[in-house]
Amino acid sequence: MTRRKAASAALLLTAVTLTAGSSVLRKDKAAALLYGGMLEQNRLIARADSANLLDILLLRTRGGAVSAPADLAGRPCYGIALFTLAEWARLGRDVRESSDIDPRLAATRFRFYPAVGDLPPVVELPAQPGQTSEAWVALGVGHAPWLKTSVATPDSQPPECNEQL
């Protein structure tokens, strides 16, 4: 077994273990919207299995903590909104173009900071009123090929992430 296959198998085992061992983890996501920030256009992933995989890889499988906003200042990012089955159903059948979807209609929204140079990819949950934001290294991004997971060099960075994501 190659190293890559072994790593994939280990991550899949972790995801299955998290799914089986947690009463809180439900596979209830219907779609994901990648939006704003460094993206030229929004990208809709209207597949439940892909949205649930993003939930597991980015929100449930966490690397080391990152000091937000200090370690994230000046880095490019984009927003990701995960829509539950109920939220997706409320949007109706007519709204399926990514430009027609308001990410604020999803209860689960976070920022994704692609890897830049030696800096790893990071996920940040923005602060809720009365709380501080959380950020961590995104371990599972290699298993989500539809994510823009890196920026070539720091010199080619798009504008830094904004607060509205």
Side-chain angles (χ1 to χ4, degrees):
M1 183 180 287
T2 66
R3 279 184 131 165
R4 187 176 185 134
K5 285 183 181 178
S8 293
L11 187 59
L12 181 59
L13 179 60
T14 301
V16 170
T17 303
L18 284 170
T19 303
S22 173
S23 61
V24 178
L25 182 61
R26 295 184 322 188
K27 295 191 315 184
D28 68 340
K29 304 300 184 261
L33 180 67
L34 285 54
Y35 64 95
M38 62 183 275
L39 300 178
E40 292 178 18
Q41 61 184 20
N42 293 351
R43 177 146 188 227
L44 176 63
I45 301 169
R47 294 180 48 145
D49 58 344
S50 297
N52 283 301
L53 183 62
L54 276 177
D55 183 32
I56 292 168
L57 294 178
L58 297 179
L59 298 179
R60 311 288 179 200
T61 309
R62 297 182 179 197
V66 174
S67 175
D71 290 343
L72 302 174
R75 287 186 62 176
C77 81
Y78 55 91
I80 299 179
L82 296 178
F83 291 88
T84 64
L85 296 167
E87 291 164 345
W88 191 242
R90 280 194 292 274
L91 287 174
R93 296 188 188 279
D94 308 339
V95 183
R96 291 296 184 257
E97 292 297 319
S98 60
S99 59
D100 297 335
I101 300 171
D102 184 350
R104 293 174 296 182
L105 297 175
T108 304
R109 292 187 315 275
F110 54 94
R111 294 183 186 108
F112 179 73
Y113 295 80
V116 178
D118 293 337
L119 300 173
V122 172
V123 172
E124 179 191 19
L125 284 177
Q128 300 298 319
Q131 298 178 343
T132 58
S133 65
E134 282 184 84
W136 58 87
V137 173
L139 294 177
V141 296
H143 301 278
W146 54 89
L147 290 176
K148 181 169 178 60
T149 59
S150 64
V151 176
T153 64
D155 297 335
S156 67
Q157 288 183 20
E160 68 181 77
C161 207
N162 63 41
E163 290 299 317
Q164 279 120 17
L165 293 179

